[in-house]
Amino acid sequence: MFEIRIHSRGGQGGVTAARLLALAAIHDGKYATAAPFYGAERRGAPIVSFVRIDDKPIKIYSQIKKPDMVIVLDASVMDVVDVLQGLKGGGNVLVNSQQKKEFSGYASSNVDLTGIALREKLVVSGSPILNTPVIGALAKMGIVSVDSAKQAIREMFTDERNVKAAEAAYREMSA
Amino acid sequence: MKKIATGNKAVAEAVKQAGPDVVAAYPITPQTEIVEQVAEFVSSGELKSRYIPVESEHSAMAACIGASITGARTFTATSSHGLLYMHEMTNWAAGARLPVVMTNVNRSLGPGWNIWAEHTDALQERDTGWLQVYVSTVQEAYDATLMAFRIAEHNDVLLPVMVNLDGFLLSHIMQPLDTVELGDFIPPLTLPHAIDPKSPTGYGGLTGPDQHFKFRWDIERSMRDSVKVIDDTQKEFAKRFGRQYGFTEDYRCDDADVVVVAMGTLGKEAEVAIDLLRKEGIKAGSMRLRWLRPFPKLVLIGKEVVVIDRDYSFGRGGILATEIMAQTKEELFSVIAGIGGQEVTYEDVADFVRNRRMGTESWFGVNSNV
């Protein structure tokens, strides 16, 4: 089983990113679940979502304690939350950032999702949409296939700019 | 096409296919997504149904009762305090022998204010005459909702059915969902006592001490008859759509020395604990209780039983543990865990088994042995 924890702020699309990722994994022929953790959060508060991907049906509902990978959609969350908590040694940290950030003992990648969203004019209520571009970065990392990523995005969104943003993230991600 | 859905969306999809004539509902977290989605289906014309927005859950159930009495197929959904607010009317629905189908998204009761999963809400409706089923996956939420209509409306039953799913843990998780071509799986509803304006009769009038017990007994008679209807419905569902359901879902129970009994998502996650324990040489099994009413005959003779209650009856104990003790007379280890959404993992469930003390009760996070 491959377990991913997504850190974001309420309203940034972390929950939808988890759902897109699970849907793409299912299109790859895998089993997947996407579970947001609902606390007393509201717009702007740090939140987490969980994605599990496996070759067999997934029976676990509890929170992910030891993720294989962490995605940080809002780098400012790292000031208030230990995003590395429980991350397996050598596990990957993908950060939405222009600059690469090193984490001792872990692999790290970065991609400027915010910049991509602004370029593609994917902005809702003043917030850049990060959930569709991040799926492109995850396809680059081989978590899901490119075809399944695009299919999942098109099933959940009608605006083709979402696919373009994912393609941009695929191109621009640096490992 | 492969689909993915939340538990709430899966329920709404099943409701759309079951095609209730009337839906009356009031939103409440974490159920709101169901009534929103059903309202959208009605608005778009995908579901030809009369949708009655009401000012309270008491009115939601009252509207379902009024509609059902005319012979209409009815649906509502609620949770927690909404369910409790219906309580007077849930008794009425069962007493009037109306096959209302309701989804209850299990949620804790306040105070303090808590929106997370717990079964005490539905269990406080235990004695109303409603059939109750508890599900553990998005797929099962969909399947059980379809079956609920067929079971409730069967003329050997004619009692309301409540489908329970854990708040957030199941209502908001996304999992794969296979939908079915329903065909004639749910036959048209024929309510034998439907009111007829051409032949007006009194309804729900005074029932004296010489009669009332007969109507109460009649509820119980149908509750007992429902066992066969549930069994037949689940078999027919498996035959048509390929997915098997029983009164319980038993996992590695046959040769087990110790069996974990739980409901809902915790009952499903317990299977992972069983695999873990088996690797350690502990012969453990899991029995996930699906139907609480009618309460099935559980085969637990000769086994140590660990019951996990996500609920409590103050001054008595875990409600599930109490029910099982009353039936089996076996000593068991009662664990109270998951109250108000308390985080419980399969590793914790494995610990409950490893550290079991038969004949005692432990509160997870309070008592030191679990």
Side-chain angles (χ1 to χ4, degrees), chain A residues 19 22-23 26-27 29 32-36 38-40 59-63 65 155, chain B residues 2 4 6 116 136-137 168-169 172-176 251 265 269 271 343-346:
Chain A
R19 291 173 171 185
L23 182 57
I26 285 169
H27 287 317
T33 62
Y38 283 88
K59 300 175 175 180
I60 303 175
Y61 290 85
S62 50
Q63 296 172 39
K65 300 277 194 320
E155 281 171 28
Chain B
K2 285 177 186 171
I4 182 165
T6 61
W116 293 275
S136 70
T137 65
F168 293 110
L169 293 169
H172 283 65
I173 198 171
M174 277 230 169
Q175 291 179 338
Y251 183 75
T265 53
E269 183 153 342
E271 294 180 9
E343 174 80 355
V344 185
T345 69
Y346 62 89

Side-chain angles (χ1 to χ4, degrees), chain B residues 168-190:
Chain B
F168 293 110
L169 293 169
L170 191 49
S171 64
H172 283 65
I173 198 171
M174 277 230 169
Q175 291 179 338
L177 172 69
D178 280 331
T179 52
V180 302
E181 292 290 333
L182 195 58
D184 59 358
F185 179 73
I186 306 172
L189 168 60
T190 315

Side-chain angles (χ1 to χ4, degrees), chain B residues 2 20 46 63-64 93 99 126 132 140-142 153 185 214 267 288 292 327 332 334-335 353 367:
Chain B
K2 285 177 186 171
E46 288 173 85
C64 284
R126 186 186 59 170
Q132 285 197 18
E140 190 184 359
Y142 170 84
E153 294 173 4
F185 179 73
K214 294 179 187 170
R288 181 171 65 82
L292 184 96
Q327 190 196 61
L332 48 80
S334 166
V335 183
V353 174
N367 299 99

Side-chain angles (χ1 to χ4, degrees), chain A residues 135-156:
Chain A
I135 304 302
L138 293 164
K140 180 72 169 282
M141 297 172 85
I143 309 294
V144 289
S145 71
V146 175
D147 287 349
S148 295
K150 286 185 186 174
Q151 190 184 343
I153 291 169
R154 287 187 174 122
E155 281 171 28
M156 286 178 67

Side-chain angles (χ1 to χ4, degrees), chain B residues 218-370:
Chain B
D218 201 56
I219 294 173
E220 174 56 16
R221 189 180 54 80
S222 296
M223 191 59 93
R224 293 180 191 185
D225 288 346
S226 75
V227 172
K228 184 174 185 308
V229 176
I230 291 167
D231 198 40
D232 289 347
T233 300
Q234 290 177 160
K235 280 182 179 141
E236 181 64 19
F237 190 90
K239 202 173 105 189
R240 291 194 190 208
F241 310 123
R243 287 188 289 275
Q244 309 261 356
Y245 295 99
F247 282 88
T248 59
E249 183 180 39
D250 300 350
Y251 183 75
R252 305 183 83 167
C253 280
D254 285 348
D255 66 336
D257 298 325
V258 53
V259 171
V260 176
V261 183
M263 297 198 296
T265 53
L266 208 42
K268 180 56 79 177
E269 183 153 342
E271 294 180 9
V272 182
I274 299 308
D275 292 342
L276 205 64
L277 292 163
R278 289 267 174 174
K279 276 184 196 146
E280 294 170 14
I282 299 171
K283 284 166 88 174
S286 160
M287 182 178 286
R288 181 171 65 82
L289 186 68
R290 298 188 65 249
W291 287 92
L292 184 96
R293 285 292 180 273
F295 197 80
K297 288 194 170 58
L298 305 180
V299 183
L300 291 164
I301 297 162
K303 297 184 192 299
E304 289 188 89
V305 182
V306 176
V307 181
I308 305 174
D309 268 289
R310 186 169 220 139
D311 58 77
Y312 204 71
S313 175
F314 298 109
R316 182 61 185 94
I319 296 169
L320 195 49
T322 312
E323 294 260 341
I324 292 169
M325 271 189 280
Q327 190 196 61
T328 65
K329 319 288 184 216
E330 301 273 331
E331 273 201 341
L332 48 80
F333 180 46
S334 166
V335 183
I336 312 304
I339 299 288
Q342 180 191 30
E343 174 80 355
V344 185
T345 69
Y346 62 89
E347 283 162 333
D348 297 325
V349 174
D351 274 343
F352 300 162
V353 174
R354 291 187 196 107
N355 305 331
R356 67 191 181 278
R357 290 194 309 218
M358 304 314 293
T360 69
E361 173 189 291
S362 278
W363 283 63
F364 179 49
V366 175
N367 299 99
S368 56
N369 63 315
V370 291

